[in-house]
Amino acid sequence: MTEINAKLLGLPETLNDDLLSRAIAHQIQIQRYGEGVSNQIVELLEQSEADLVKKLRNRLDKIEARGFDLGPATTQRVRNLIVGTGEIVDNRYSKVYGTLKDEMVELAQSEAKYQIGEIEDAVGVTLEMELPAANQLRSIVTAQPFEGAVMSQWAKKLAASEKESIGQAVRLGLAQGETTEQIVQGLTSKGGGIFKSKANARAYTRTAVNHVSTHARVAVHQENSSLIKGEQ
């Protein structure tokens, strides 16, 4: 939470209590915002899910019609299926990354402006605080890792996980004699690979929102270190 150097400014120490209350209320707003963005990302995945499932079903129907065996022809058809669906998955998460990146860049900028506005509102005077540079705020989104990876790497990890889930479900399902519909249902129903992917994307998005919000605030503190002590 933000802590102002009240003594330097000739202001009462209770100012920081006010800022603390404001920060707690704002964190609740950020959590609600994160929920909204995560819903947006899941909806984006659901929009492309129909195409993914359609391609998966069509390829599986062809394999099922010809009969599954361990011969080279069937093996190649399974590989083609996995490659074909993998391309759709990569495209899905490329769109997720692009959408989330743009949203988070806007969040970083608005959060930095909010922090300055909130501090000046609490103080009651214009302090002429400095905004962090635009490229610095953007780098929070594109270059600063959270939980071990930057945002673009997380998108690739999510895509890789979904492709692996599809590949495993297809191979295992065919080997066990499951029908096309059983394999597809296993992937899309609760607990299935495609279903889990949406849950993973939701959790990842919430983490991204908290990461960007926190580091945008820290960037404001660093840019105005003569006025702001740091975090309470």
Side-chain angles (χ1 to χ4, degrees):
M1 304 300 177
T2 304
E3 185 178 3
I4 287 288
N5 194 333
K7 184 177 181 180
L8 175 66
L9 297 171
L11 297 167
E13 288 295 335
T14 53
L15 171 64
N16 286 313
D17 294 334
D18 182 25
L19 286 171
L20 177 59
S21 297
R22 290 169 181 251
I24 292 171
H26 182 59
Q27 187 57 37
I28 294 172
Q29 293 175 338
I30 288 294
Q31 290 174 356
R32 290 173 179 168
Y33 167 78
E35 185 66 23
V37 177
S38 65
N39 287 340
Q40 180 184 351
I41 293 302
V42 169
E43 287 173 8
L44 187 62
L45 287 172
E46 288 176 342
Q47 288 170 10
S48 60
E49 186 174 317
D51 289 339
L52 174 61
V53 171
K54 180 180 179 181
K55 187 160 192 172
L56 179 61
R57 184 177 276 114
N58 288 343
R59 294 289 183 93
L60 283 170
D61 281 342
K62 291 178 182 179
I63 293 173
E64 187 177 352
R66 295 175 181 177
F68 177 75
D69 57 49
L70 298 178
T74 301
T75 300
Q76 186 60 49
R77 284 193 288 273
V78 172
R79 286 176 183 163
N80 291 342
L81 179 154
I82 292 171
V83 170
T85 54
E87 291 172 354
I88 296 177
V89 171
D90 286 336
N91 188 51
R92 273 157 64 84
Y93 285 95
S94 176
K95 290 179 179 178
V96 163
Y97 170 65
T99 299
L100 187 58
K101 180 185 70 174
D102 291 345
E103 188 76 30
M104 291 301 96
V105 169
E106 288 186 16
L107 172 62
Q109 294 169 344
S110 63
E111 185 68 7
K113 291 176 183 177
Y114 169 84
Q115 291 296 327
I116 290 177
E118 193 73 348
I119 291 168
E120 292 187 339
D121 183 62
V123 171
V125 296
T126 300
L127 300 175
E128 296 184 356
M129 296 173 68
E130 296 290 334
L131 272 172
N135 61 349
Q136 180 184 357
L137 293 172
R138 185 179 182 83
S139 71
I140 292 172
V141 178
T142 60
Q144 198 163 28
F146 58 99
E147 295 191 359
V150 298
M151 188 174 291
S152 60
Q153 292 171 329
W154 270 111
K156 290 177 181 177
K157 285 184 176 185
L158 291 172
S161 177
E162 183 167 289
K163 287 189 287 187
E164 182 179 359
S165 295
I166 292 172
Q168 288 179 345
V170 167
R171 293 189 185 96
L172 182 61
L174 290 173
Q176 293 180 343
E178 292 183 356
T179 64
T180 293
E181 201 56 36
Q182 286 174 322
I183 294 172
V184 170
Q185 284 295 319
L187 281 165
T188 56
S189 60
K190 188 174 182 179
I194 294 175
F195 181 92
K196 286 181 179 178
S197 292
K198 290 184 285 189
N200 292 338
R202 183 182 293 279
Y204 154 78
T205 300
R206 289 171 177 160
T207 302
V209 167
N210 288 331
H211 164 79
V212 172
S213 174
T214 298
H215 284 84
R217 184 180 72 243
V218 170
V220 170
H221 293 180
Q222 293 172 341
E223 194 70 25
N224 300 277
S225 57
S226 62
L227 300 174
I228 301 175
K229 289 182 180 180
E231 301 282 300
Q232 284 185 326

